[in-house]
Amino acid sequence: MKTTTTISNIAEALLEASNIAILTHIQPDGDALGSSLALMLMLRRMGKNARVFCQDAVPASLKFLPRWEEVSIPDEASLEADIVIALDASDEGRLGSCFDMIKTAKKSIQIDHHATNSLFADYNLVDSSVAATGMLVFRLAKELGASIDKDIATYLYTAISSDTGNFCFPSVTDETFDQMAELMRAGLDISTNAQKLHLLKGLGNIRMTGSALSSLKIKAAGRLSSMCLLKEDFVKNDARIEEADGIVNLGLYIHGVEAAYLATETACGIKFNLRCLKPYDVSIVAQQFGGGGHMLAAGCTIKSSMDKALESMDKAMEEMLKA
Ligand SMILES: [Mn+2]
């Protein structure tokens, strides 16, 4: 039976276990890897055998985290664990190939902060009031009596800073800063880590940003911005498709703009990243073209020429802004 649990029950279970497998979600982000590596190191310092598993590789942008190379894909040895604990994964699908380890585990636990969590483990701690899974791992550290050192502080800072948009989202609370104060006392080098986490980009991303900005158009009386990237831009800039991630957000950082999109020419059609400010809802626009997402961030693909796709998208976004 699926049941909800508490931080103290999880701490108790972990203290009794010797072999612990920590799992996190596909396409791991700062919260996923920061939370997982923090828990791994705490448990190892207590003499436990703890490992971190993830279906996908650590992205280059997070390779500043100590021990990132110890994150592995599920293997034979991973099935020996007394406890399998998933972090920051909202549902079975998000765990990818790691979900098999939940299915075969002697005991499975999860800690997460997504309101939509499907409670897939035997014991589930889901608290959507916190900004990051890292904040729940911090509470767990207190419960375990684990001391927080500089590396654990780096991991938890990465988790919390990633999921709060560097402490800008409405999910930030006084507890966020209480935890941060303790991380600072543990020796966190906030400026070096903030630079690595939020400022440093790959050369391909910077060049693609230049190409996207040079295509910028302002429409709908200044309320809509659009950018587009062609296959030849990727070739010219020697950039991979994922190096265009995040560029769409720049379109919203203009006074007066309430909605923005980035159109990217791909092998399967014109891919659109859509963004807007409240009270608008770009997920409805994305759905009109067979895509989906969230209210303020969504995406879809239109199978047509760039010109036709841009025309359809301009019309749909302008309709949204009229409503
Ligand atoms: Mn998260």
Side-chain angles (χ1 to χ4, degrees):
M1 201 191 81
K2 305 301 180 194
T3 171
T4 57
T5 190
T6 62
I7 289 279
S8 68
N9 285 339
I10 293 174
E12 214 173 296
L14 291 172
L15 288 169
E16 281 169 17
S18 315
N19 287 304
I20 298 148
I22 301 161
L23 318 180
T24 196
H25 63 73
I26 58 175
Q27 298 167 340
D29 56 15
D31 192 23
L33 291 169
S35 296
S36 299
L37 288 166
L39 182 59
M40 177 190 86
L41 192 54
M42 279 177 224
L43 293 170
R44 284 186 184 175
R45 298 251 155 92
M46 295 174 148
K48 315 278 182 194
N49 175 22
R51 293 177 64 198
V52 176
F53 298 93
C54 182
Q55 177 197 287
D56 294 336
V58 173
S61 58
L62 289 169
K63 287 185 176 169
F64 70 91
L65 291 172
R67 300 173 192 78
W68 69 265
E69 59 283 278
E70 292 189 42
V71 176
S72 38
I73 52 171
D75 55 26
E76 290 296 305
S78 68
L79 302 170
E80 303 292 299
D82 305 317
I83 291 184
V84 170
I85 178 164
L87 299 180
D88 201 44
S90 57
D91 57 61
E92 295 82 341
R94 287 289 285 163
L95 281 173
S97 62
C98 283
F99 187 62
D100 287 342
M101 292 173 69
I102 294 277
K103 284 193 289 195
T104 55
K106 288 172 214 161
K107 186 184 240 182
S108 68
I109 299 176
Q110 72 153 325
I111 299 177
D112 183 40
H113 69 123
H114 295 97
T116 56
N117 191 288
S118 64
L119 307 182
F120 55 79
D122 298 330
Y123 299 93
N124 302 275
L125 176 83
V126 178
D127 183 348
S128 60
S129 74
V130 296
T133 295
M135 288 185 63
L136 298 171
V137 173
F138 185 105
R139 290 184 194 168
L140 179 61
K142 297 282 115 185
E143 203 68 37
L144 286 167
S147 65
I148 291 176
D149 66 7
K150 192 173 179 177
D151 282 358
I152 293 173
T154 299
Y155 295 143
L156 292 177
Y157 159 77
T158 300
I160 299 166
S161 180
S162 294
D163 268 25
T164 55
N166 204 13
F167 308 100
C168 290
F169 294 166
S171 53
V172 171
T173 61
D174 56 340
E175 187 191 5
T176 314
F177 287 104
D178 285 342
Q179 293 189 354
M180 280 303 299
E182 191 159 337
L183 301 184
M184 293 297 286
R185 287 191 287 271
L188 175 68
D189 180 348
I190 193 164
S191 111
T192 303
N193 286 301
Q195 189 181 33
K196 289 173 180 169
L197 190 59
H198 298 291
L199 299 180
L200 286 177
K201 313 278 184 210
L203 182 57
N205 175 265
I206 295 292
R207 286 186 170 144
M208 290 309 288
T209 302
S211 297
L213 287 176
S214 69
S215 75
L216 180 79
K217 290 198 169 62
I218 300 296
K219 300 161 179 174
R223 298 170 66 206
L224 172 65
S225 77
S226 74
M227 292 182 281
C228 70
L229 288 171
L230 304 173
K231 278 181 190 160
E232 63 195 56
D233 293 315
F234 288 92
V235 174
K236 183 180 72 188
N237 296 327
D238 190 23
R240 286 165 288 118
I241 187 97
E242 60 270 25
E243 288 181 286
D245 285 354
I247 292 174
V248 60
N249 295 311
L250 292 173
L252 261 193
Y253 301 159
I254 302 168
H255 284 301
V257 168
E258 293 170 276
Y261 71 77
L262 171 67
T264 306
E265 190 182 18
T266 74
C268 357
I270 310 300
K271 185 184 100 176
F272 284 88
N273 294 104
L274 314 177
R275 296 289 185 274
C276 68
L277 301 178
K278 280 184 190 170
Y280 299 104
D281 185 349
V282 281
S283 74
I284 295 172
V285 174
Q287 281 165 21
Q288 287 169 26
F289 299 102
H294 306 281
M295 193 175 147
L296 305 183
C300 59
T301 298
I302 301 180
K303 288 192 168 80
S304 73
S305 68
M306 180 61 91
D307 286 349
K308 282 222 167 76
L310 294 179
E311 202 179 302
S312 310
M313 186 52 69
D314 284 341
K315 221 172 131 206
M317 291 290 261
E318 285 178 34
E319 279 303 314
M320 177 191 79
L321 289 170
K322 266 186 220 159

